[in-house]
Amino acid sequence: MTADQLSEPAVRAFVAAVNANDREAFRDVLAPGATMADDGTERDLAEWTEREIFSSGGRMVVESEEAGGRSLVVRYRNDTWGEMRTAWNFVVDGGKIARFETGQA
């Protein structure tokens, strides 16, 4: 499944920004004060995304979506950890990502 096939526009923009390594587009899809968790632990969103996505060449290959496109199973890869199967759950508010949670699927 490609990013442009995802049902939820904000999630579609999130995945496209990650895959394009586009920090500005990524920031634009986030709501003010957006938060995130990784494997159930709250993380600093800016620090985590820089380390796990942008500085390490993160890429998302979506396997499936549920909950109207707000829940994804993804083959996620970066230069630090290689490839792993991950779940991503999004809270969308006003067309922006207010929160996302990721972890091993």
Side-chain angles (χ1 to χ4, degrees):
M1 171 175 264
T2 61
D4 62 344
Q5 295 173 308
L6 295 171
S7 301
E8 169 56 55
V11 174
R12 185 168 52 237
F14 180 100
V15 173
V18 168
N19 287 345
N21 200 21
D22 186 335
R23 288 173 177 86
E24 184 175 336
F26 184 83
R27 282 189 300 270
D28 287 347
V29 77
L30 298 176
T35 62
M36 60 98 38
D38 179 16
D39 281 329
T41 301
E42 292 297 313
R43 303 290 184 184
D44 178 278
L45 190 143
E47 179 184 298
W48 187 91
T49 56
E50 183 59 35
R51 183 182 66 248
E52 299 294 335
I53 296 174
F54 297 110
S55 292
S56 60
R59 301 261 319 149
M60 301 174 84
V61 176
V62 179
E63 290 183 359
S64 63
E65 71 171 7
E66 293 182 359
R70 294 181 182 198
S71 181
L72 307 178
V73 174
V74 170
R75 286 190 330 269
Y76 185 77
R77 124 163 268 309
N78 69 24
D79 296 338
T80 303
W81 305 108
E83 186 173 300
M84 64 192 84
R85 194 164 185 258
T86 56
W88 295 72
N89 295 294
F90 298 89
V91 175
V92 178
D93 184 18
K96 301 279 188 175
I97 304 291
R99 179 172 177 79
F100 68 91
E101 297 178 2
T102 186
Q104 300 224 15

